[in-house]
Amino acid sequence: MLCALATLGVGCIFDPPKKTIIIPPKLIVYPPRNTPKNAVLYLKAAWENRDSTRADTVYAVNYTGTSSVEGVSDLTFGRLEEIRALGGVQIAQSVTRVTFDFHDPSTWIRQEYATDSSTWVAYSIPAPRIEVDQLSGSLVADQSTFFEFTMRPYVVAPGDTLWQIVRWVERNPAPPS
């Protein structure tokens, strides 16, 4: 009789208890945005984790992105377009993984522009590689491109400064080093 109740989903008292296997969620680590380079690494983590909410916090309100490809007109977009693009990747069921390889930050090249504010910091990342894995295959961007990110400090409270990305430029082909 007791085992007959097992067929109703109650279980038999003579059966050993079943172990439940719990798979912990993937630990997602975002670097503190306390340096310009960490702001870029924070954005990288947001894209790799398809987290548009986190990405939204690292883009400055007046952010501008420009993609320049030789022989094609420049594409320019703002913060909201970036967030919408990431949101699209986030909900796309065909996308299984996003990977950004920006190499070791010690290889990034510091840039200075007379037109930028003295508090802004710019870094060029030569030959970045972006890979988007999909159910139908992978899309890879690893041409002779280089990315340049410009960051500015954002004071949250006295003694507490975060860095935001104010500008991103993609150029192809990469300029000579």
Side-chain angles (χ1 to χ4, degrees), residues 10-23:
V10 176
C12 180
I13 62 170
F14 301 112
D15 283 342
K18 306 252 188 302
K19 291 186 177 181
T20 303
I21 298 174
I22 299 173
I23 299 172

Side-chain angles (χ1 to χ4, degrees), residues 36-37 40 108-113 116-117 119-125 147-152 163 167:
K37 288 181 178 181
V40 174
W108 300 358
I109 304 163
R110 174 84 185 257
Q111 304 291 336
E112 293 186 24
Y113 300 99
D116 286 350
S117 166
T119 61
W120 290 14
V121 176
Y123 283 101
S124 292
I125 302 172
F147 286 173
E148 183 175 281
F149 290 94
T150 302
M151 286 68 61
R152 72 168 185 204
W163 286 84
R167 183 174 60 227

